[in-house]
Amino acid sequence: MNRPVNFSAGPSVVPVEVLETLAAEMVNYQKTGLSLVELSHRGEIYGRVHLETIALIRELMGVPEDYSVLLLGGGATLQFSMLPMNLLPTGKSADYINSGAWARKAIDEAKKVGGVNVIYDGASEKYTNLPDPKSIKPSPNAAYLHITTNETIGGLQWKVFPEFRGVPMVADMSSDILSRPVDVGRFGLIYAGAQKNLGPAGVTIVIIQNELLSESPKNIGSYLNYSVHAKANSLYNTPPVFSIWAMKLVLENIKKCGGAAAVAKTNMLKAAKLYEAIDSSGGFYRCPVNKAFRSDMNVVWRLRNENLEAKFFESSAIAGLIGLKGHRSVGGCRASIYNSLKEEGVDRLIAFMAEFSAKKG
Ligand code: PMP
């Protein structure tokens, strides 16, 4: 089957081998005669999938012993609220770095819960820049400091993380989790939805330092309480079993490819090629993001003549390249080139872009 190259931002490309395994095992899971999605989440068969998935996250991300890995529902969006509900007590405030559309959503939700300090605001530069990581210092009263490691809409990514002591750093890694090695020990909490680098939507990973679990207030809903999930090893209620199963297969795929470091090498290569194609187009294409912070996951660009963009999408779709439209809030073009998007896909895009500019330029 001739599948189009899928540059969608999320849900997004899943390795075809994973889709094939899911299809082959959907009706009869490992000769049990039943589908995994029909089996009790408290039973032995699903139980193994659950534990192996958590173990793979621990292994591939190098999660330290004193951290819990939670598998939750609600997307990263629920984490925008759940995080301050658990970790932002009355009398304290939380520091946020406003790096773009997703950071802003996190900020807006946190403000509903408690005090928020925006310690860097990229709005005046239209979110094309990030602060020098060395300049980041938490406020005296901060309960935590929040960053968005990759802005999916703006195409902006932290390459080096801020380093400070005394206040936990929290990261939304929704669109670059496991795309590169990360020192988890430098974060108090990491959260990420699965639907970009790790499989279908429906499951959200939360990695939390155990020390922080005691901070969760007792008077919030049980599902909203990190310590409830940690105590139950993410089986407090029915977990999204299908999404977790699919994520396990994607994680096995990452392991087979050599883990986060190997995947990062390919990701950087893919991104470098695509940025080079944009930068060397004589201005036909242009990327607005500061070179130091250009994302390896979501490459954004405009055409010099923005009126040609509709034609660009139409022709690229005919060429089998789909999902290249930028987010509706900003327009322009965006290629999401997550882990599972192969280098050949990027090569096809680059060839198409050259052909398009030659015809229209
Ligand atoms: N944060 C980032 C960086 C994202 O890219 C997204 C989704 N595109 C979200 C949060 C929201 O995630 P969800 O749709 O899983 O709630």
Side-chain angles (χ1 to χ4, degrees), residues 41 45-55 71 232-235 239 241 244 248:
H41 62 291
I45 297 171
Y46 174 73
R48 266 203 302 276
V49 172
H50 192 83
L51 294 180
E52 283 170 20
T53 307
I54 293 173
L71 304 178
N233 204 13
S234 301
L235 286 166
V241 292
I244 292 173
K248 173 175 169 278

Side-chain angles (χ1 to χ4, degrees), residues 74-77 80 102 148 150 152 172 174-175 193 195-196:
T77 301
F80 294 160
W102 290 108
T148 309
N150 184 73
T152 323
D172 175 0
S174 290
S175 48
Q195 68 272 22
K196 293 153 203 312

